[in-house]
Amino acid sequence: MDRRVYGVETEFGLTHRPETGRGLPPDELARYLFRPVVDFGRSSNIFIPNGSRLYLDVGSHPEYATAECDDLIDLIASDRAGERVMHDLAMAAQERIHQDGFTGAVYVLKNNVDSAGNSYGSHENYLIPRTTHFRRLSGILLPFLVTRQIIAGAGRVVQEDDTYEAHFAFSQRADHMWEGISSATTRSRPIINTRDEPHADAASHRRLHVIVGDSNMSTTTSLLRYGSTDLVLRMIEAGVPIEDFELENPIAAIRAISHDISGQARVRTRTGEQVTAINIQREILRRVTRFVSERGAHHSHVDQILELWDRTLQAVETGEHQLIDQEIDWAIKKRLVEEVSHQRRLDLNHPRLQQIDMAYHDVHPDRGLYHLLVRRGRAATIVSGAQVTHAMTTPPPTRAALRGEFLSTARAYGAECTVDWVHHKLTDRPLEAIMVKDPFAAKDQRVEALLDKLGDRSSELQERSLEERSRQGATLALTDKYTRAPGTQVPEPPLI
Amino acid sequence: MPAQPQKQPHRHGEGDQPDSADAAAQVQGNPQATERAAELDSLLDEIDTVLEANAEEFVKGFVQKGGQ
């Protein structure tokens, strides 16, 4: 597919650090965090005006699912918007916690592991044609995903245990994967989840659900992660032959690779060959590069993705990690950890270095170490603050634009409505509910006609400015797009 | 593929680690190196001001319920 729909779902870690004693328990803290969400949408599981979804997931994890995006920069901006929303909610929660007589700070971390061995994810969705042979797809995609951590891992300080000495690993998530492919998520954590909910026309599409990825802070790493995966999918969809790297034991392989930062860990293929992650990634990159040179680039970031992909493999091959220590999360973090360890003479087992690992993922723009490194010019970024602010209020030009407009309009008219990825329903007009199965559709006459029944939108609704919206609500993302023009009447609901 | 990852020496601090303290000592008088060392000091100081002082308590306190 030249044009693809992407989405990413991020589960965040959440903690309260009072001045003394224990923090609020997770359930209670999550309720504080989500109070503005419930105030806005009367539920802790809602779609918001920018088309994304905000909810509390299993285990009281706050989660943000980006709207459907058909452009990688939109996707990354939307994901970053989710971080900003969480930060805003954390600040509001902290204030209310203080009003209620407690002390301390609320932390939201976009990482994947806590100190007790729990893990939470960063799930990617790629729309793929139903015609793609799933067995062939997984045969190629699994080895790619098992080794993708060396180009897109978030990095992790691993403390000494029975198996390892303290060391720096590529991935946060690798140790928490238990199966190659399966339909379960919480129970067995497969790399590829086969749960087939396309949120689209199931006759033509399926949704590839990848749950192996680390949560990235770096936007350049994100571009490489999603961009390389899309290119590999594109090649599979075109039926281009790719060398067979099917692994004998993907789960043992993903761990072995993560824990050897030299990239030299050898893993066995089904044919009995011993290969490294670099071997696999190099061969895939070679094929992808040839594919692009033959068929042309399908978007404007392809060259940048291929260049960064090649340079990252070179950095791992040669051990010259400084080649990528502004662009790839694990290398940015590793440099910082090593500098602190060296300057402060701390052993890698020292809790300070684990704290630095965690604080790298703090979404707080002043306190989070990734953000601090960006400010000091030690981490590159490809998405501006203005783009992120835009993504907080404005859906990308896909079906998300319909959802956003539907929600915003219904809210302005005080009309109760329900939406999900596909459905658009005004509570008072249940028989006129509309399904939009095409995730690329940014316009739909049926949705327009339904909204027209609420009133003359062009004369009755006024769009509020960003300044106006930023003065209201706990976060910009939870403010209304429209206000009613002065003197307009609320229409009577229809008789059913 | 090794059946079980072995406990093996990961030689941190050799080869790939910038040896900035020693380097700074050797190149005293080199303005660029001095500037770099000052920048690093200032970065680490800033990090000390934003991180909770008790690292161990922070790390141990960061416990989530399991997610997906």
Side-chain angles (χ1 to χ4, degrees), chain B residues 26-50:
Chain B
Q26 278 163 19
V27 291
Q28 265 182 1
N30 175 338
Q32 273 187 337
T34 314
E35 199 182 313
R36 272 202 304 276
E39 261 175 38
L40 181 57
D41 278 345
S42 141
L43 170 69
L44 299 194
D45 288 347
E46 189 183 353
I47 289 175
D48 285 342
T49 65
V50 297

Side-chain angles (χ1 to χ4, degrees), chain A residues 168 260-262 315-316 318-322 325 330-331 334-335 338-339, chain B residues 10-20:
Chain A
F168 193 88
D260 188 344
I261 203 78
S262 75
V316 179
T318 60
E320 291 173 18
H321 298 162
Q322 71 275 15
D325 68 8
W330 67 258
K334 177 171 172 281
R335 177 180 171 196
E338 286 176 348
E339 284 174 344
Chain B
H10 284 265
R11 290 181 302 171
H12 288 274
E14 285 179 37
D16 57 352
Q17 183 156 332
D19 215 5
S20 46

Side-chain angles (χ1 to χ4, degrees), chain A residues 61 114-115 118 163 344, chain B residues 7 10 48 52 59 64-65:
Chain A
H61 284 289
D114 70 4
S115 59
N118 297 304
T163 323
R344 297 282 147 94
Chain B
K7 189 160 181 165
H10 284 265
D48 285 342
E52 191 177 302
V59 170
Q64 306 295 298
K65 289 182 167 185

Side-chain angles (χ1 to χ4, degrees), chain A residues 126 128 134-148 181 191-192 208-210 212 228-234 236 242 246 281 284:
Chain A
Y126 300 89
I128 59 174
F134 205 76
R135 182 74 192 81
R136 175 167 180 274
L137 174 95
S138 60
I140 298 165
L141 203 60
L142 259 184
F144 170 72
L145 292 173
V146 163
T147 55
R148 191 182 62 170
I181 303 179
I191 292 168
I192 298 174
L208 177 71
H209 194 56
V210 173
V212 70
S228 62
T229 308
D230 165 57
L231 281 163
V232 171
L233 287 173
R234 195 161 175 256
I236 295 169
I242 301 178
E246 275 201 67
Q281 284 286 323
I284 293 174

